[in-house]
């Protein structure tokens, strides 16, 4: 007898992308099953033990604003928290938390296990089932597992991470497993290729884990968390995250370290030609650092705890695929690591993924109805990038089944929008990593205002509760009221005010000034003006933060909003699905080829495709004007 089961959505993979996709679908009322090669690997952190960081903190905040789970989960399980880049402007402030790996995975698994409409299934999906539509597209009908069970469904979300045909490399030793020695998924790639999906081979790596008892922390610099912890989730009570924190440590490589690496490059799979996949440029192995930055005498090494109930320490900044004997010799040249004992060797991992140009901005495949994908399978790197894509892919799989419009975030409203737009419009030849420099409108896309930007969208989708939405509206009203009050409250150039300003190291007044004008001064701020602001009422810290930023940076914010208006004009100029680019006169050959290949949905998206010049866009705009008149007359 054939085992068959009917569900609405099948999510393949239970990493950070899969968890968010499955929870989104289930919370929107769809019967969902999530497949994993091991239930023990749900929300596994196979590499670094942290969430957030520069630009990645923005992604987690945005994901939370839309109704995702990562922010809530790290708030429950972090062991150290720090706001990065506080010496710089608010646009680049980013929250980063050290995770207790085991607790993070355990807590996320508990959420999934207790979610209505969601079934966890330990099984390897080896085949996608589909049928052909009248217009010769493929339409997903289900999945088949390695044991032969069939799950009929209306949508599939692929979140396979680094498991497809994975192999791990440590010097000359190669093991055909996924991360942490877990079973690889060896059968699905053939099914994807048979469907016409273009596959790629990427590579990433991880450093060694060491026994804490073998390290000498007196030779390292201790790194502490923030005294006042800011939660990731807008729903977390800030008081609940104020707790004792674990320390991390900083040390450095040296000339001896680099000499050992150079002398053994021929034994590195990267340089011996054994590795086929392309690695991440912005997260290089220590071998790459030594070769590409030969002038540097040292590199930072962060020693980070993997959790409170383990002695394993993560050696951040020294990922490697060198043989075990070389690794041990190399690590033991680093101050504090002279007598280190390796618990888990560093290794590189190769895996199959896709060229994301095959996806729409909704993360649905262009030619396969009902097939969505998210995470490292899309050619990205990082837990945060994966979770963000998983949430969007899950939401849009649900939207397609519920016959609702997809959620498409653009570059001007979120880092998630930048991430997805970069993936689907650029021919990424290496694992994509999010960075603040990739966002053109980063002054507007701060991590502190993610709820103000995206919470309403989460509410409209159905992932944000009425209570959370009401709290957002109240926050918006308090911010607006306080800004207006400060702009309308003046102080005179009297003796008391002049003395106060002198005490603050600020220039005195010649005429009356509003409190808002005083806040704009670099040496002053909202808190500093309390003694002369007699009408001030107590406000939540999150409200005060927004008030101060909006006032201090008002001129820059207005300028950037004007830029966004111009950008959105181009985004609104849609390109018909069936447009024949061969009929567009004066279009350069390269642009014609790229436009046919990527099939952009708007002129704005077309302008960001490599190989499409501003002149090509001008030609396209003229053609579209005539095309629209002809087809609507």
């Amino acid at each position: 007898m054939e085992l068959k089961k009917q569900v609405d959505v099948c999510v393949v993979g239970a990493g950070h992308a899969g968890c968010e996709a499955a929870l989104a679908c289930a919370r929107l009322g769809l019967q969902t099953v999530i497949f994993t090669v091991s239930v023990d690997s749900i929300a596994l952190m196979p590499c670094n033990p942290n969430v957030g960081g520069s630009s990645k903190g923005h992604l987690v905040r945005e994901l939370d604003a839309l109704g995702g789970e990562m922010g809530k989960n790290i708030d429950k399980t972090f062991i150290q928290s720090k706001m990065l880049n506080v010496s710089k402007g608010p646009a680049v402030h980013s929250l980063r938390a050290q995770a207790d790996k085991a607790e993070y995975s355990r807590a996320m698994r508990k959420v999934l296990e207790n979610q209505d409409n969601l079934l966890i299934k330990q099984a390897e999906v080896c085949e996608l089932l589909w049928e052909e539509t009248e217009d010769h597209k493929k339409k997903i009908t289900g999945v088949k597992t390695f044991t032969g069970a069939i799950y009929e469904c209306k949508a599939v979300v692929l979140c396979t991470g680094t498991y497809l045909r994975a192999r791990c490399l440590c010097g000359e030793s190669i093991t055909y497993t996924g991360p942490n020695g877990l079973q690889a998924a060896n059968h699905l790639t053939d099914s994807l290729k048979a469907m016409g999906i273009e596959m790629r081979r990427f590579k990433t790596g991880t450093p060694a884990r060491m026994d804490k008892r073998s390290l000498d922390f007196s030779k390292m610099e201790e790194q502490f968390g923030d005294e006042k912890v800011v939660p990731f989730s807008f729903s977390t009570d800030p008081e609940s995250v104020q707790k004792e924190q674990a320390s991390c440590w900083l040390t450095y490589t040296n000339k001896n370290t680099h000499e050992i690496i150079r002398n053994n490059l021929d034994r590195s799979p990267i340089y011996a030609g054994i590795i086929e996949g392309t690695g991440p440029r912005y997260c290089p192995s220590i071998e790459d650092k030594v070769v590409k930055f030969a002038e540097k005498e040292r590199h930072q090494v962060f020693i980070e705890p993997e959790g409170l109930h383990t002695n394993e320490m993560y050696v951040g900044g020294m990922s490697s695929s060198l043989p075990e004997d070389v690794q041990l010799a190399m690590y033991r040249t680093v101050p504090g690591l002279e007598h280190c004992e390796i618990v888990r060797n560093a290794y590189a991992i190769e895996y199959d993924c896709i060229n994301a140009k095959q996806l729409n901005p909704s993360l649905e495949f262009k030619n396969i109805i009902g097939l969505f994908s998210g995470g490292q399978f899309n050619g990205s790197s990082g837990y945060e990038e994966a979770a963000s894509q998983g949430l969007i892919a899950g939401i849009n799989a649900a939207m397609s089944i519920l016959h609702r419009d997809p959620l498409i975030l653009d570059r001007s409203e979120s880092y998630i929008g930048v991430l997805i737009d970069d993936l689907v419009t650029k021919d990424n030849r290496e694992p994509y990593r999010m960075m603040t420099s990739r966002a053109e409108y980063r002054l507007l896309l701060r991590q502190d205002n993610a709820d103000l930007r995206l919470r309403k969208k989460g509410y409209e989708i159905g992932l944000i509760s009425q209570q959370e939405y009401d709290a957002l509206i109240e926050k918006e009203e308090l911010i607006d009221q306080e800004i207006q009050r400060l702009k309308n409250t003046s102080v005179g150039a009297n003796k008391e005010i002049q003395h106060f300003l002198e005490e603050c190291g600020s220039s005195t007044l010649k005429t009356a000034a509003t409190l808002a004008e005083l806040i704009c001064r670099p040496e002053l701020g909202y808190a500093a003006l309390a003694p002369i602001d007699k009408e001030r009422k107590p406000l939540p810290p999150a409200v005060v933060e927004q008030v101060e930023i909006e006032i201090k940076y008002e001129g820059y914010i207005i300028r950037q909003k004007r830029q966004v208006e111009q950008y959105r004009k181009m985004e609104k100029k849609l390109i018909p699905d069936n447009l024949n680019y061969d009929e567009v006169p004066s279009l350069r050959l390269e642009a014609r080829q790229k436009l046919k290949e990527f099939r952009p949905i708007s002129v704005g998206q077309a302008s960001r495709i490599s190989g499409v010049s501003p002149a090509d866009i001008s030609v396209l705009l003229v053609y579209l004007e005539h095309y629209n008149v002809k087809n609507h007359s």
Side-chain angles (χ1 to χ4, degrees):
M1 289 177 63
E2 196 173 48
L3 181 62
K4 277 191 179 181
K5 186 177 178 71
Q6 288 188 335
V7 295
D8 292 314
V9 183
C10 289
V11 177
V12 183
H16 303 286
C19 287
E20 297 292 352
L23 287 171
C25 291
R27 287 168 175 172
L28 290 170
L30 301 177
Q31 290 299 316
T32 306
V33 59
I34 183 169
F35 295 92
T36 173
V37 293
S38 170
V39 172
D40 294 326
S41 68
I42 289 173
L44 178 74
M45 291 182 162
C47 193
N48 54 297
N50 44 64
V51 167
S54 185
S55 76
K56 292 167 178 277
H58 291 68
L59 291 173
V60 182
R61 275 291 184 94
E62 291 179 352
L63 183 150
D64 180 75
L66 290 166
E69 195 66 27
M70 179 176 263
K72 294 184 179 72
N73 204 54
I74 189 62
D75 284 344
K76 290 185 284 188
T77 58
F78 78 93
I79 58 177
Q80 190 197 86
S81 181
K82 188 179 287 187
M83 187 69 76
L84 304 182
N85 304 322
V86 288
S87 62
K88 300 176 182 177
V92 293
H93 292 179
S94 289
L95 195 57
R96 181 180 186 268
Q98 290 294 133
D100 186 312
K101 282 188 173 184
E103 288 301 317
Y104 184 93
S105 178
R106 193 177 293 119
M108 187 67 85
R109 176 175 168 179
K110 185 178 179 181
V111 172
L112 265 66
E113 287 178 336
N114 290 283
Q115 176 61 52
D116 292 342
N117 305 318
L118 181 56
L119 171 68
I120 299 169
K121 181 69 178 176
Q122 182 168 297
E124 181 184 343
V125 171
C126 64
E127 188 180 345
L128 298 185
L129 307 177
W130 55 277
E131 61 187 19
E132 193 165 316
T133 63
E134 291 180 2
D135 57 353
H136 304 296
K137 281 192 174 184
K138 297 179 180 69
K139 182 181 180 182
I140 286 293
T141 59
V143 303
K144 187 176 183 179
T145 69
F146 185 67
T147 54
I150 289 174
Y151 288 77
E152 296 177 340
C153 63
K154 300 166 187 172
V156 170
V157 186
L158 297 172
C159 302
T160 56
T162 60
Y163 284 83
L164 285 192
R165 292 199 311 125
R167 65 173 189 165
C168 294
L169 302 98
C170 177
E172 299 88 357
S173 303
I174 300 175
T175 52
Y176 290 84
T177 67
N180 278 14
L182 290 162
Q183 176 189 331
N186 292 315
H187 301 93
L188 185 57
T189 294
D190 289 339
S191 175
L192 299 176
K193 286 181 176 177
M195 294 178 74
I197 294 173
E198 181 190 339
M199 303 299 293
R200 280 186 169 166
R201 193 82 171 150
F202 274 0
K203 164 242 153 196
T204 187
T206 191
R209 313 303 195 272
M210 291 177 180
D211 189 329
K212 181 179 182 179
R213 298 169 299 176
S214 66
L215 307 182
D216 184 354
F217 296 107
S218 67
K219 296 182 178 179
M220 309 180 201
E221 301 169 29
E222 192 166 3
Q223 307 287 299
F224 301 98
D226 291 341
E227 284 187 22
K228 184 71 173 175
V229 174
V230 177
F232 266 105
S233 175
F234 293 100
S235 304
T236 299
D237 176 6
E239 289 306 311
S240 71
V241 294
Q242 310 307 320
K243 62 183 183 183
E244 189 177 344
Q245 299 180 54
S247 288
C248 298
W249 287 268
L250 173 63
T251 183
Y252 297 88
T253 62
N254 52 55
K255 290 180 180 178
N256 293 335
T257 321
H258 302 176
E259 185 179 358
I260 289 172
I261 293 167
R262 288 192 189 100
N263 290 342
N264 288 278
L265 282 176
D266 60 318
R267 297 182 65 196
S268 166
I270 298 171
Y271 290 93
I274 300 170
I275 287 181
E276 305 162 10
T278 309
R281 186 190 319 178
Y282 300 104
C283 188
S285 66
I286 190 64
E287 298 98 286
D288 273 344
K289 287 180 185 178
V290 168
V291 171
K292 293 176 180 174
F293 306 104
E295 75 284 357
K296 283 191 174 286
E297 292 187 356
R298 66 178 193 172
H299 296 283
Q300 286 185 327
V301 180
F302 288 96
I303 308 298
E304 303 169 332
E306 297 248 300
L308 296 179
H309 307 291
T310 177
N311 280 334
E312 281 191 69
M313 305 295 287
Y314 179 86
V315 188
M318 286 191 77
S319 67
S320 176
S321 61
L322 286 163
E324 184 175 5
D325 59 311
V326 181
Q327 286 188 33
L328 192 60
M330 166 185 79
Y331 285 129
R332 284 184 171 176
T333 62
V334 176
L337 275 59
E338 293 90 346
H339 304 288
C340 68
E341 292 292 348
I342 295 176
V343 178
R344 306 187 201 214
N345 291 322
Y347 62 86
I349 183 168
E350 283 188 316
Y351 54 94
D352 289 343
C353 59
I354 63 162
N355 185 341
K357 70 182 182 185
Q358 299 166 95
L359 302 174
N360 286 316
S362 64
L363 296 182
E364 183 177 22
F365 278 80
K366 292 175 180 175
N367 297 316
I368 308 173
I369 299 165
L371 183 60
F372 297 79
S373 70
Q376 288 190 254
F377 180 69
N378 287 350
S380 64
S381 68
Y383 309 146
E384 303 82 3
E385 289 93 335
S388 301
Q389 293 170 64
L391 179 70
I392 300 300
I395 286 172
N396 287 329
M399 295 297 102
S400 69
I401 293 170
L402 298 170
H403 304 294
R404 293 170 58 187
D405 291 337
L407 173 66
I408 297 176
L409 301 175
D410 70 45
R411 301 181 73 90
S412 70
E413 60 189 348
S414 67
Y415 270 75
I416 296 176
V418 173
L419 163 67
I420 293 174
D421 187 65
D422 279 351
L423 285 172
V424 302
T425 60
K426 295 177 181 175
D427 202 4
N428 298 292
R429 296 284 176 177
E430 62 191 35
Y432 178 96
R433 180 181 179 178
M434 193 70 240
M435 293 182 289
T436 51
S437 59
R438 297 190 191 274
E440 302 91 328
Y441 311 111
R442 55 185 173 272
L443 183 55
L444 303 180
L445 308 183
R446 305 182 309 276
Q447 53 102 36
D448 58 76
N449 69 357
D451 58 335
L452 300 170
R453 291 185 279 116
L454 299 173
R455 206 73 155 161
K456 287 179 184 176
K457 290 181 185 289
Y459 175 70
E460 289 163 1
I461 290 161
L463 294 177
I464 295 297
S465 69
Q466 186 66 49
Q467 183 181 359
E468 290 170 320
Y469 179 70
D470 290 343
L472 173 74
I473 298 303
E474 183 184 2
K475 180 179 178 180
E476 286 182 332
E477 289 173 353
L478 288 173
I479 293 167
D480 290 342
Q481 289 167 8
E482 185 66 356
I483 289 173
Q484 290 310 310
R485 186 187 72 81
L486 292 166
K487 286 185 173 181
N488 295 326
T489 303
S490 295
V491 291
N494 57 51
K495 201 171 186 179
E496 179 194 353
I497 299 298
Q498 305 290 41
H499 177 70
F500 168 79
L501 292 173
E502 286 173 355
E503 288 285 308
C504 293
S506 188
S507 58
T508 54
L509 295 175
K510 293 179 180 176
T511 58
T514 67
L515 291 175
E517 288 170 338
L518 292 179
I519 286 174
C520 286
R521 295 185 176 189
E523 65 278 2
L524 296 176
Y526 186 86
L529 296 186
I532 60 170
D533 187 2
K534 309 298 185 186
E535 304 300 317
R536 178 177 297 187
K537 294 177 182 177
L539 290 171
V543 170
V544 171
E545 180 181 34
Q546 292 307 307
V547 167
E548 182 151 12
I549 291 171
E550 289 289 331
I551 289 175
K552 266 192 181 295
Y553 297 92
E554 184 179 34
Y556 298 103
I557 288 170
I558 289 171
R559 188 187 309 162
Q560 198 143 95
K561 283 181 176 176
R562 288 199 194 107
Q563 293 170 350
V564 167
E565 285 173 17
Q566 293 302 312
Y567 158 82
R568 285 198 168 148
K569 284 179 184 175
M570 297 292 272
E571 297 302 306
K572 287 177 182 175
K573 294 182 186 297
L574 301 180
I575 301 174
D577 283 344
N578 59 350
L579 187 74
N580 185 353
Y581 289 102
D582 289 327
E583 294 180 357
V584 182
S586 305
L587 203 58
R588 290 180 314 113
L589 179 61
E590 183 187 9
R592 200 184 305 276
Q593 289 172 339
K594 288 292 182 75
L595 290 167
K596 287 162 73 173
E597 183 182 3
F598 282 89
R599 305 298 308 180
I601 62 170
S602 69
V603 174
Q605 190 185 19
S607 70
R608 294 187 294 278
I609 295 172
S610 174
V612 179
S613 70
D616 297 318
I617 293 300
S618 297
V619 168
L620 184 59
L621 282 168
V622 171
Y623 180 81
L624 283 172
E625 204 170 308
H626 292 300
Y627 178 93
N628 290 329
V629 170
K630 180 181 174 183
N631 285 276
H632 292 96
S633 57

